[in-house]
């Protein structure tokens, strides 16, 4: 493996059109799980100028269309959109086309008799962890998220003025001997009011770079390598500037390209869908392996077939060419973790309305919440591997 290289990751804010859709789709999941923890949801959202469209399939309690539409507006309001081309108010039209879940899918997934509940779809899921940051995430994606998250927090409290919801960040880090050494460039493109110039926007966002990235990584950053709105004005943004769809930011959601992604998106899916739950489980396993100290980084792949309970394969890579240790970790996973869809949900407590807050700033590298959110970020099983 290369030891000295440049690596870049990007993030997008909660006001990015695709993230608006992820937020709304996860709100739908939470709404159904609040009323029925065993509800099934697969919701897609489309946004464009003054329009939101929901589509997909559900099984569970009857949620009135007006209630969902009201909650969509609440999401848009919380993100911060009240503009001519996209607003939480009535000028934005909202349609819901959710319908009942396919009986064929339900038959394959449901448990019956001696048959355990099967996976909601076939697919491969990856989990990854490394010791580059205190949350065991790759440094470029972690700091890209942090810049935008801190900007959003201050924008919502009024501390950061003239900055609007839609923004993107990108960080390039130079690695030396396999470890992050220097930030080589930072890109921030942010929507702003028409009342500020580009030089003013630059001064507004620069403090968030310093707040988000450790000083030792910034010491050699050239001022010329800080790019703020490099294309110029960014007044028209959000779904008015570009359409959005659920599930189009899967690399932003995971590891910023530092590890493989199985292909399936997370948002809008209840936890019987292994696209979501098994990706969380594989991150949980990888993070506990690294937290145990047996490896600096860990990649885990799980594979499933629709309607089949147990994973078809478990793959572990500790990146140290120690095949015996890799096999030992695989053996410990097999002996200590139930990775069936039901087992994952029970292990991580996933049948709860905890998903709306995952929709922006990454599904990984977050603090576990008292409500059960981000349970897959705990390192309470590291002792299994350190033994």
């Amino acid at each position: 493996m290369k030891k000295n290289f440049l690596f870049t990751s990007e993030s997008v804010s909660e006001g990015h059109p695709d993230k608006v859709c992820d937020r709304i789709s996860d709100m739908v999941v939470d709404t159904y799980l609040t009323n029925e923890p065993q509800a099934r949801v697969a919701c897609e959202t489309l946004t464009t100028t003054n329009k939101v469209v929901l589509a997909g399939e559900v099984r569970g309690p009857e949620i009135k269309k007006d209630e969902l539409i009201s909650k969509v507006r609440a999401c848009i309001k919380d993100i911060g959109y009240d503009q001519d081309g996209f607003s939480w108010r009535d000028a934005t039209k909202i349609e819901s086309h959710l319908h009942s879940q396919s009986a064929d899918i339900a038959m394959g997934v449901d448990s019956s008799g001696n048959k355990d509940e099967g996976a909601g779809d076939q697919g491969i899921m990856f989990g990854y962890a490394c010791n580059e940051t205190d949350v065991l995430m790759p440094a470029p994606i972690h700091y890209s998220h942090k810049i935008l998250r801190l900007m959003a927090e201050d924008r919502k409290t009024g501390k950061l003025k003239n900055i609007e919801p839609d923004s993107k960040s990108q960080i390039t880090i130079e690695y030396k001997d396999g470890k992050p050494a220097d930030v080589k460039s930072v890109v921030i493109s942010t929507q702003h009011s028409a009342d500020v110039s580009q030089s003013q926007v630059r001064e507004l966002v620069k403090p968030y770079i310093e707040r988000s990235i450790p000083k030792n990584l910034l010491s050699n950053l050239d001022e010329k390598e800080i790019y703020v709105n490099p294309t110029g004005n960014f007044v028209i943004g959000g779904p008015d500037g570009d359409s959005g769809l659920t599930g189009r930011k899967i690399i932003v959601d995971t590891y910023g390209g530092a590890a493989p992604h199985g292909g399936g998106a997370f948002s809008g899916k209840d936890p019987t869908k292994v696209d979501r739950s098994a990706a969380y489980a594989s991150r949980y396993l990888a993070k506990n392996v690294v937290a145990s100290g047996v490896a600096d980084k860990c990649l885990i792949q799980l594979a499933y077939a629709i309607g089949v309970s147990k994973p078809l394969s478990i793959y572990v890579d500790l990146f140290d060419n120690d095949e015996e240790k890799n096999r030992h970790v695989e053996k410990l996973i097999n002996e200590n973790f139930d990775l069936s869809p039901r087992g994952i949900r029970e292990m991580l407590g996933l049948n709860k309305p905890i998903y709306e807050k995952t929709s922006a700033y990454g599904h990984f590298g977050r603090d576990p919440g008292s409500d059960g959110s981000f349970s897959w970020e705990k390192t309470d099983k590291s002792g299994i591997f350190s033994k």
Side-chain angles (χ1 to χ4, degrees):
M1 295 180 62
K2 293 176 66 176
K3 293 291 186 179
N4 303 306
F5 55 91
L6 298 179
F7 195 83
T8 304
S9 295
E10 70 156 349
S11 179
V12 298
S13 72
E14 63 202 79
H16 185 282
D18 296 330
K19 282 289 147 198
V20 173
C21 294
D22 286 345
R23 168 77 176 268
I24 291 169
S25 293
D26 276 335
M27 174 277 294
V28 174
V29 173
D30 283 356
T31 299
Y32 275 88
L33 292 179
T34 297
N35 287 273
E36 172 51 65
Q38 306 302 323
R40 304 285 170 80
V41 182
C43 175
E44 310 293 340
T45 302
L46 160 73
T47 59
T48 185
T49 303
N50 284 332
K51 178 161 281 196
V52 178
V53 179
L54 307 182
E57 54 181 36
V58 297
R59 190 178 76 182
E62 181 179 351
I63 307 294
K64 294 187 180 299
K65 188 176 290 190
D66 288 346
E67 179 183 347
L68 282 179
I69 289 174
S70 176
K71 291 188 175 214
V72 170
R73 295 195 187 282
C75 289
I76 298 170
K77 184 176 183 180
D78 182 68
I79 292 168
Y81 279 116
D82 190 12
Q83 302 167 2
D84 288 342
F86 195 72
S87 170
W88 61 273
R89 301 178 192 273
D90 290 343
T92 294
K93 304 304 178 185
I94 302 171
E95 303 174 12
S96 177
H97 301 283
L98 297 172
H99 59 83
S100 296
Q101 184 186 49
S102 159
D104 289 346
I105 291 177
M107 179 177 62
V109 174
D110 290 346
S111 58
S112 61
N114 294 323
K115 175 184 174 295
D116 193 11
E117 176 186 301
D121 200 354
Q122 73 174 49
I124 56 174
M125 297 82 210
F126 287 95
Y128 181 72
C130 61
N131 58 10
E132 294 178 14
T133 60
D134 58 352
V135 293
L136 304 186
M137 284 289 287
I141 187 66
H142 177 63
Y143 299 129
S144 294
H145 284 322
K146 192 171 182 180
I147 290 171
L148 298 185
R149 180 171 52 79
L150 293 178
M151 286 175 57
E153 289 172 359
D154 284 356
R155 173 178 57 81
K156 289 181 175 183
T157 63
K159 184 177 179 180
L160 178 60
K161 301 184 185 299
N162 292 309
I163 297 298
E164 300 294 339
D166 191 359
S167 56
K168 303 176 77 171
S169 63
Q170 182 172 285
I171 295 176
T172 299
I173 292 182
E174 182 180 18
Y175 284 72
K176 296 180 180 178
D177 197 26
K179 300 293 184 182
D182 289 303
V183 171
K184 302 300 289 184
S185 67
V186 178
V187 183
I188 300 176
S189 297
T190 184
Q191 186 186 13
H192 57 86
S193 72
D195 302 326
V196 289
S197 66
Q198 291 308 306
S199 60
Q200 289 173 313
V201 172
R202 184 181 180 88
E203 293 308 308
L204 285 171
V205 303
K206 275 182 61 180
Y208 294 92
I209 299 173
E210 297 171 359
R211 286 175 58 189
S212 302
I213 304 173
K215 289 182 180 179
N216 65 298
L217 295 179
L218 289 175
S219 58
N220 296 317
L221 178 61
D222 189 334
E223 180 76 18
K224 294 179 181 178
E225 295 300 318
I226 300 175
Y227 303 91
V228 177
N229 285 4
T231 60
N233 272 6
F234 188 0
V235 175
I236 301 172
D240 186 30
D242 191 10
S243 62
L245 287 170
T246 301
R248 285 205 298 194
K249 288 293 178 282
I250 59 177
I251 302 303
V252 170
D253 286 343
T254 54
Y255 307 104
H261 189 292
F266 302 155
S267 292
K269 297 175 182 177
D270 74 78
T272 66
K273 278 74 172 176
V274 285
D275 277 349
R276 180 168 223 159
S277 57
Y280 291 169
S282 55
R283 161 66 176 173
Y284 181 59
L285 295 172
K287 187 171 185 180
N288 276 274
V289 169
V290 174
S292 76
V294 303
D296 290 339
K297 52 185 176 179
C298 175
L299 176 71
I300 290 178
Q301 183 205 63
L302 303 176
Y304 291 85
I306 189 168
V308 179
S309 176
K310 299 295 183 182
L312 304 183
S313 65
I314 300 172
Y315 168 82
V316 175
D317 188 354
L318 302 179
F319 299 92
D320 57 5
N321 296 317
D322 187 335
E323 292 187 17
E324 184 177 350
K325 186 164 68 172
N326 277 260
R327 287 195 299 270
H328 182 61
V329 170
E330 288 178 17
K331 182 173 181 286
L332 290 173
I333 291 171
N334 273 306
E335 291 175 349
N336 291 278
F337 297 90
D338 179 359
L339 296 174
S340 68
R342 186 196 303 276
I344 290 172
R345 293 203 311 280
E346 292 176 352
M347 175 175 67
L348 299 178
L350 298 182
N351 284 108
K352 299 174 183 176
I354 55 175
Y355 298 106
E356 192 174 339
K357 63 180 66 175
T358 69
S359 61
Y361 314 117
H363 291 243
F364 308 127
R366 309 284 291 275
D367 293 330
S370 58
D371 60 353
S373 57
F374 301 105
S375 58
W376 49 92
E377 290 299 305
K378 293 180 179 180
T379 54
D380 54 335
K381 302 296 185 183
S382 60
I384 291 173
F385 302 104
S386 60
K387 293 176 184 178

